[in-house]
Amino acid sequence: PFGCKGGRLDKRTGLVECLCFAGAVFGWASLVFVLKEEGYFSSLCVNGTGINGTYVLDCTEQDEQFSLIFTIASFMNNFLTLPNGFLFDRFGTTVTRLYGICYVFCFFFSFLVLAILLFPALALLAVGGILFLMTNMQVGNLFGSRRSTIITLYNGAFDSSSALFLVIKLLHERGIALRSSFLFLSACSVIHLLRTFFLLPRKLIPYPLPDNYTYGITCGKSDNRIGEVAENGDAQKVEEVPLNKDKSFRDCLLSRFFMWHLLWLSVMQLRHYLFIGTLNPMLQRLTAGESSLVSQYTNAFAITQLCGVLCAPWNGLIMDRHKGKPRAEGESEQEVDLRATVLSLFLTALQCLLFSICASTPYLPLQYLTFVLQVLNRSFLYGGNAAFISVAFPSCHFGKLYGLVMALSAVFSLLQYPCFALVKVLDGDPLYVNIGLTLLSLLAFIHPLSVYLHCRSVSSQRVKNKAMTQSS
C-alpha cells in the first residue's frame, strides 16, 4: 500500500520504541517498591502503635506522596497532549519527536538528584512517552484496511512498556543500582534520534495515501511537497490526497460523538489511574504488610502488562473486520467503520465494569484476575480511543482532537486525588470509593449505544431515500 519497504521497517522499530519506552510511567507500582527501598520520602514514616500495642512503622504519608506524584504525572501525560497535538499537526513529526526526546532525557537525570524532583521527573517521562506514541500511530496510515489494527498495536505496545520498571526492580533486587539502570536508559536516547532523522518523515504521513508515497532513508527522496501541503491543511488542492474536509474542527468539537467519547474515556481512565496509584498501599493492606507477598503481587501485575501488546490488536481486528467486504448500496466507508466501532466500544466498557468489580473485592488471590482484566481493558481503551477518533473525524484534525480529548479527560482524572483523600478518611479502606467508581463506570455504556443508534438512523434514512427514488 505504499511506495517502499521503509514503512514496514518503521512499523517494526516503532513497535520496539513504544514497547520499551513510551508508557513506562504506568509501571509506577514497580518503581515505588524500589524507591521505598532506596529511602525516598522515608522521613515521612513515623512510629505508631499496632493493634496489640506493638510498635509499627506508619508510612501512610509516604504512600500519599507517591500517589500525588503519579496523580500529577498522569494529569500532565494527558493534559499536555492538547498543545502537543497542535504542535504535531502544525510542525510535523521531527519537531514533535525532538521535544519528546528532550523530556525523556531530562527525566533520567533529574530523577537522580533529589527526591522532590520526582514530581517534575515523572511528568516529563509521561509527556515524552505520549509524544513517541502520537508520532508512531500515524504509521497506521500506510496500511489501508488494517489501519485500526496497527494503531491499536502501537497502543498495546505503549501499555506493555510499563514492564520497563519491573525490569529495573528485578535488576535492583540483584544488586544493579538504580542510577546505573537510568544512565543506561538515557543513553538509549540515541535510538530515538536515529529513528527521528532516518526512519520517519519530516512532516506527516497523509491519509488516504497518494500514489507512490515514499519516505525514510530506504526510499530515496520523498515527495515532501505532498506532506507539507497536507500538514498545512491544503491537501484538497492535491488531487492525490482527497482528505475528508467536510467538518471543521469546531464542528467536530461540538458533535455528539466527541462529547460521549470524552465521557467514555474519562470514566474508565479515572478507574485505571486510581487503581495504579493505590496499588502498592492496597497490596500492603491485603497482605498485612508482608513484604515478600507485596513484591510477588507487584511482579505479577507488571508481568501481565506485557500482554498489552498481544491484547490490543484484537480490538483493531474487531474495528477492521468489515474492511474489504461488500457494502450496502449507498453506504460510505465511514459508515462501515463507525458500525464496526460499536462492538469495540461496548466490549471496552464491559471489560472496565468487570475489572472494577474485581478490584473492589478485598480478596487477595482474586487480584491476579484483576491484573489480567486491567491490562486487557487498558489495551482496548487507549487503542480504541485513537482508532475511533481516526474513524469518526477527518484525519487533518486527528492530532488536535486526540490531544483535546486526552487533555479534558486529564482534568476529569484529577478526581483521583479527592478519592485518595476520601480513602484516608475511611481509615485506608477503599471499598466504598471502589463501589462508587464501579457505578460511575456504567456511564461508559452510553457511547456505544449512541453510535449504534446513529448508525441505525443513517441506515434507515438511506433505505427511505432509496425507496423514494425508486417510487419516483
Side-chain angles (χ1 to χ4, degrees):
F2 45 89
C4 67
K5 295 183 180 180
R8 297 189 189 278
L9 176 62
D10 185 57
K11 184 190 76 170
R12 298 185 187 114
T13 57
L15 191 64
V16 172
E17 182 178 73
C18 288
L19 184 60
C20 296
F21 302 100
V25 65
F26 295 106
W28 177 240
S30 297
L31 189 60
V32 165
F33 192 90
V34 177
L35 296 176
K36 286 185 174 182
E37 290 191 347
E38 290 282 318
Y40 281 73
F41 302 115
S42 57
S43 61
L44 298 177
C45 294
V46 296
N47 290 322
T49 305
I51 298 176
N52 299 323
T54 57
Y55 287 105
V56 295
L57 195 61
D58 183 5
C59 294
T60 302
E61 291 190 18
Q62 183 191 38
D63 288 333
E64 288 178 0
Q65 198 78 343
F66 284 128
S67 293
L68 179 59
I69 290 169
F70 181 76
T71 300
I72 293 173
S74 58
F75 171 78
M76 297 299 286
N77 172 69
N78 284 6
F79 188 76
L80 289 184
T81 308
L82 174 58
N84 289 334
F86 279 89
L87 178 73
F88 181 51
D89 281 349
R90 178 65 183 87
F91 295 103
T93 305
T94 301
V95 173
T96 305
R97 286 181 58 84
L98 288 177
Y99 272 100
I101 293 168
C102 289
Y103 291 154
V104 173
F105 192 74
C106 289
F107 158 75
F108 293 118
F109 283 96
S110 59
F111 199 97
L112 301 172
V113 182
L114 294 170
I116 196 67
L117 290 180
L118 277 172
F119 285 93
L122 198 69
L124 288 171
L125 177 66
V127 175
I130 203 71
L131 287 176
F132 288 156
L133 175 63
M134 186 184 295
T135 53
N136 278 309
M137 283 192 297
Q138 64 177 326
V139 175
N141 292 345
L142 300 173
F143 291 85
S145 63
R146 292 290 174 233
R147 185 185 181 206
S148 295
T149 304
I150 299 301
I151 290 174
T152 54
L153 181 63
Y154 277 123
N155 278 271
F158 177 84
D159 291 336
S160 294
S161 67
S162 59
L164 175 66
F165 285 156
L166 169 64
V167 175
I168 290 175
K169 175 180 178 290
L170 296 175
L171 291 174
H172 186 267
E173 291 173 350
R174 285 158 179 75
I176 305 297
L178 189 63
R179 176 181 295 270
S180 300
S181 296
F182 280 170
L183 288 176
F184 171 77
L185 289 173
S186 66
C188 291
S189 296
V190 175
I191 299 173
H192 306 316
L193 287 171
L194 291 175
R195 290 197 69 248
T196 299
F197 290 111
F198 297 110
L199 289 178
L200 284 168
R202 185 168 63 89
K203 295 295 184 180
L204 304 176
I205 300 176
Y207 184 81
L209 281 179
D211 293 335
N212 300 318
Y213 177 78
T214 60
Y215 73 89
I217 193 171
T218 60
C219 301
K221 187 175 180 181
S222 304
D223 189 353
N224 289 328
R225 182 182 67 86
I226 292 176
E228 291 170 4
V229 171
E231 187 273 336
N232 287 325
D234 295 325
Q236 72 238 35
K237 297 179 182 178
V238 182
E239 292 182 2
E240 293 88 345
V241 193
L243 292 178
N244 178 8
K245 305 267 299 182
D246 293 338
K247 288 186 178 180
S248 67
F249 177 66
R250 184 175 180 275
D251 291 337
C252 296
L253 187 61
L254 297 177
S255 68
R256 184 179 58 187
F257 279 169
F258 183 84
M259 299 299 180
W260 289 129
H261 186 68
L262 174 61
L263 178 66
W264 177 85
L265 175 65
S266 297
V267 296
M268 289 191 281
Q269 180 173 260
L270 175 63
R271 187 65 190 97
H272 283 277
Y273 280 179
L274 190 71
F275 177 76
I276 295 172
T278 60
L279 179 61
N280 188 267
M282 180 194 77
L283 292 177
Q284 293 279 356
R285 183 181 181 85
L286 293 179
T287 60
E290 188 174 336
S291 180
S292 60
L293 275 177
V294 173
S295 179
Q296 174 186 326
Y297 275 83
T298 301
N299 289 350
F301 172 72
I303 290 170
T304 57
Q305 301 305 299
L306 290 170
C307 298
V309 71
L310 303 176
C311 299
W314 301 349
N315 195 17
L317 291 172
I318 290 172
M319 300 184 79
D320 286 335
R321 68 188 188 278
H322 295 317
K323 294 281 184 69
K325 294 182 179 179
R327 301 198 299 261
E329 185 179 348
E331 187 177 32
S332 69
E333 184 179 351
Q334 187 187 35
E335 288 178 50
V336 174
D337 291 342
L338 274 176
R339 184 158 46 84
T341 65
V342 174
L343 179 59
S344 169
L345 297 172
F346 172 77
L347 288 177
T348 307
L350 181 61
Q351 291 163 5
C352 184
L353 179 62
L354 295 175
F355 152 64
S356 190
I357 290 172
C358 291
S360 304
T361 307
Y363 180 59
L364 186 60
L366 184 63
Q367 300 315 307
Y368 287 120
L369 177 59
T370 303
F371 298 160
V372 172
L373 289 171
Q374 192 269 344
V375 69
L376 177 64
N377 186 231
R378 262 184 60 83
S379 62
F380 267 60
L381 177 63
Y382 290 107
N385 169 46
F388 179 81
I389 292 173
S390 71
V391 164
F393 304 105
S395 61
C396 56
H397 300 314
F398 176 81
K400 296 184 285 292
L401 289 170
Y402 181 77
L404 185 60
V405 77
M406 295 296 280
L408 293 176
S409 67
V411 175
F412 191 84
S413 72
L414 288 177
L415 290 174
Q416 65 184 297
Y417 199 67
C419 290
F420 294 147
L422 184 56
V423 170
K424 182 180 178 181
V425 171
L426 297 171
D427 295 325
D429 187 355
L431 178 62
Y432 294 108
V433 173
N434 284 332
I435 291 174
L437 289 173
T438 301
L439 295 175
L440 186 65
S441 67
L442 293 174
L443 294 175
F445 287 96
I446 297 175
H447 187 31
L449 178 61
S450 173
V451 177
Y452 169 75
L453 293 176
H454 169 81
C455 292
R456 192 173 70 170
S457 172
V458 170
S459 176
S460 225
Q461 186 61 44
R462 188 175 59 251
V463 171
K464 288 180 182 178
N465 291 342
K466 181 181 177 181
M468 290 176 61
T469 303
Q470 289 176 346
S471 63
S472 61

